[in-house]
Amino acid sequence: MRILLTGSAGFIGFHTAKALLERGDEVIGFDNFNDYYDPKLKEARNKILRQYKNFRLVRGDLKDKKSLKKAFDLMGAGPDTRVCHLAAQAGVRHSIEHPEMFLEDNIAGFGNIIDLAKERKVGGFIYASSSSVYGDSKISPLSEDLNTDAQASLYGMTKKANELQASVYHHLFGLHCTGLRFFTVYGPWGRPDMALYLFTDWIVKDKPMKIFGGGKMRRDFTYIDDIVAGVVAALDKNYPCEVFNLGGDKTEELMDYVKIIEQCLGKEGRKEFLPMQPGDVVQTSANVDKARKMLGYDPKTQIREGIPQFIAWYKEYHNIA
Ligand SMILES: NC(=O)c1ccc[n+]([C@@H]2O[C@H](COP(=O)([O-])OP(=O)(O)OC[C@H]3O[C@@H](n4cnc5c(N)ncnc54)[C@H](O)[C@@H]3O)[C@@H](O)[C@H]2O)c1
């Protein structure tokens, strides 16, 4: 396959691109290397992708149709082409301070790329949605047939808007569209704004750990390799129009997550318990039956195995003995 993969310098995009390149697909990466978090991390991921001869990169912005067209030109058209759209503004809390960025990148940018996918008649359009579309739902576990009319953050709202647009593009133009609702993804090369990276950093640097929601939050954590397997299966199956939960299939207490990080580092953190932040939800718990059945999705990695993988990478990346 030839795949135009947006967000290739990002956490999930990097790992997905690497898996596709390793099995011999051609990947055209697309990213603007924005500075929401340290772009050096994005450059380091990109440096690894550049080692594959079946990888090409377009440095461009979703808001700029000219650079997007360049990437589509490199991919060409036909049934063996796919767009794997993972680029987005991805921070829930950031969406409260900078709603304009989310409307521009996640809604207008999404509109640009899905429209080009339709125009160029690509074989399929697979895109990142999020567990945030469920808002602060009290139902557990969350399954795809639940009502998703009440998001708790602007970020969640943008992802819901993407799902609606994809469904309309399938209905009107026959574009094959698959939305993937990721649940808190973690692992090596992870995002510095997410809990695992922040907690590790704070413990290592002896800084107080800000723990929101009084430590009472529960999350369905999903290891990156499991997510990648789900994304690749969605690209291969290329269903006409579906949405899937991709979660870890187990809900963990936040404080158990913290405990494992401390055990891996051999050091206890100084905890500062704070109230829930606006936009946050108390619990996420994914029902992944649909993905199991239709994608062969089978999340295997428990936090006890996944967190040490992250810590090993963190130490190597930051040169910590
Ligand atoms: N990581 C998670 O736990 C999680 C959970 C749910 C959903 N998601 C979604 O998965 C996708 C990937 O997330 P991630 O964790 O890898 O985030 P990330 O921030 O590491 O990666 C996103 C990448 O997109 C790029 N990008 C952003 N706006 C762009 C634009 N306008 N033009 C070009 N490139 C742009 C960024 O530079 C970045 O490299 C996102 O759509 C995110 O919303 C992630």
Side-chain angles (χ1 to χ4, degrees):
M1 282 197 294
R2 277 168 317 191
I3 299 137
L4 164 52
L5 191 150
T6 71
S8 56
F11 170 41
I12 301 174
F14 158 69
H15 284 282
T16 306
K18 196 161 166 289
L20 293 168
L21 291 165
E22 264 163 23
R23 72 173 199 174
D25 290 327
E26 250 183 78
V27 176
I28 295 105
F30 186 90
D31 208 295
N32 67 356
F33 295 77
N34 71 33
D35 63 0
Y36 167 58
Y37 61 78
D38 189 357
K40 277 198 217 112
L41 178 57
K42 300 182 182 182
E43 294 291 352
R45 296 181 185 129
N46 188 57
K47 197 171 160 201
I48 295 173
L49 297 182
R50 274 201 339 241
Q51 291 164 2
Y52 293 84
K53 60 179 186 316
N54 40 346
F55 178 71
R56 283 171 290 172
L57 173 76
V58 175
R59 279 179 195 260
D61 198 297
L62 296 166
K63 300 185 282 295
D64 168 30
K65 269 205 162 182
K66 221 163 107 194
S67 62
L68 268 179
K69 279 183 180 162
K70 193 172 150 194
F72 275 89
D73 288 345
L74 286 179
M75 177 173 62
D80 61 343
T81 58
R82 301 279 186 279
V83 169
C84 181
H85 178 49
L86 304 176
Q89 293 285 344
V92 174
R93 289 169 194 162
H94 191 52
S95 75
I96 296 167
E97 290 138 38
H98 292 286
E100 73 293 347
M101 289 184 184
F102 285 71
L103 298 176
E104 286 165 11
D105 290 336
N106 295 11
I107 295 193
F110 185 93
N112 285 341
I113 192 164
I114 196 170
D115 206 54
L116 277 168
K118 170 208 95 188
E119 219 172 81
R120 301 288 178 106
K121 298 189 170 33
V122 301
F125 184 84
I126 280 66
Y127 63 97
S129 182
S130 166
S131 60
S132 297
V133 299
Y134 293 109
D136 202 5
S137 172
K138 301 289 173 267
I139 298 168
S140 179
L142 299 158
S143 53
E144 293 87 343
D145 51 8
L146 285 172
N147 178 299
T148 50
D149 278 351
Q151 283 73 50
S153 66
L154 195 98
Y155 166 71
M157 180 277 277
T158 66
K159 293 292 181 182
K160 176 66 187 176
N162 295 164
E163 291 186 2
L164 291 173
Q165 187 169 3
S167 138
V168 171
Y169 267 53
H170 172 69
H171 174 71
L172 288 179
F173 311 117
L175 181 66
H176 278 217
C177 294
T178 301
L180 302 171
R181 294 177 177 168
F182 299 143
F183 283 67
T184 318
V185 189
Y186 73 99
W189 296 97
R191 264 170 44 199
D193 63 321
M194 291 186 68
L196 179 53
Y197 206 122
L198 289 170
F199 290 156
T200 305
D201 240 19
W202 287 330
I203 298 172
V204 168
K205 294 176 183 159
D206 248 333
K207 291 188 177 160
M209 301 169 73
K210 291 197 180 90
I211 301 183
F212 295 102
K216 301 248 171 347
M217 293 204 279
R218 303 178 84 230
R219 287 286 176 275
D220 197 319
F221 294 104
T222 323
Y223 190 62
I224 184 66
D225 292 0
D226 291 325
I227 284 289
V228 168
V231 179
V232 172
L235 286 162
D236 288 345
K237 296 274 186 194
N238 196 26
Y239 285 107
C241 187
E242 297 291 345
V243 168
F244 294 102
N245 282 344
L246 293 185
D249 209 14
K250 191 164 186 246
T251 301
E252 309 277 359
E253 303 282 339
L254 186 66
M255 293 319 290
D256 289 341
Y257 198 66
V258 170
K259 219 176 280 162
I260 298 175
I261 302 172
E262 292 178 328
Q263 282 164 0
C264 286
L265 291 170
K267 184 175 170 189
E268 218 173 290
R270 283 190 288 132
K271 297 166 196 84
E272 188 184 330
F273 291 97
L274 299 164
M276 283 262 295
Q277 289 213 306
D280 256 351
V281 297
V282 178
Q283 168 167 317
T284 61
S285 173
N287 177 329
V288 295
D289 290 352
K290 183 178 172 189
R292 268 190 205 284
K293 196 163 146 219
M294 293 177 68
L295 297 175
Y297 178 67
D298 185 23
K300 292 188 193 72
T301 318
Q302 304 295 318
I303 56 172
R304 211 154 258 298
E305 299 144 6
I307 291 176
Q309 299 290 331
F310 170 82
I311 303 283
W313 167 80
Y314 174 95
K315 285 183 173 168
E316 196 188 330
Y317 183 74
H318 291 283
N319 259 320
I320 294 168

